[in-house]
Amino acid sequence: LHVDVINTLTKDLIEKISCAPNYENVVMAHEEFLEKLITKSCLHNKVVKNSLNTVLRRCHRFCGLINRLTSQSDPKTAKADLTELEKAFNRDANFLKYIAPNLI
């Protein structure tokens, strides 16, 4: 998701909130903002959503591995884990790069 998309949606939301005559209009503006954000980020697409979740899980696993590296005495095991994780992350990230242009 491009930063300019987020910036545009945020500007629209701020404008609508600043002009909102009541709380209900603020809620409606926010709901519209979220709906557009989800649509433009393709989170409604199950393949994209699952792929992003996989990449984020790999990022979380990477953080755990780094934590282990700082406290573990066996660097060979950690290096093997890091290599496997790097390959899996690159595969998943490349898949997302491949499908993203076809979604918009």
Side-chain angles (χ1 to χ4, degrees):
L1 186 60
H2 296 287
V3 174
D4 56 332
V5 171
I6 295 172
N7 286 339
T8 301
L9 292 174
T10 302
K11 284 179 187 177
D12 290 346
L13 175 64
I14 291 170
E15 280 181 33
K16 288 179 180 178
I17 287 173
S18 65
C19 297
N22 55 41
Y23 178 74
E24 287 80 22
N25 288 82
V26 171
V27 171
M28 286 175 29
H30 187 255
E31 287 175 357
E32 181 181 326
F33 166 80
L34 292 175
E35 185 177 313
K36 287 180 180 178
L37 185 62
I38 289 169
T39 300
K40 291 186 183 280
S41 63
C42 300
L43 291 178
H44 62 285
N45 183 307
K46 191 173 186 172
V47 173
V48 172
K49 184 174 140 185
N50 290 341
S51 295
L52 283 172
N53 281 334
T54 299
V55 168
L56 291 173
R57 278 194 304 274
R58 295 213 193 281
C59 291
H60 185 261
R61 189 168 160 218
F62 175 75
C63 292
L65 180 58
I66 294 301
N67 191 31
R68 256 187 32 219
L69 277 172
T70 59
S71 63
Q72 186 176 22
S73 59
D74 184 11
K76 284 185 180 181
T77 302
K79 181 153 177 63
D81 289 347
L82 182 59
T83 300
E84 182 271 325
L85 182 59
E86 180 183 18
K87 287 178 185 176
F89 178 85
N90 286 334
R91 181 187 64 239
D92 297 332
N94 286 331
F95 176 73
L96 277 171
K97 284 194 273 186
Y98 173 76
I99 65 170
N102 299 320
L103 297 171
I104 298 173

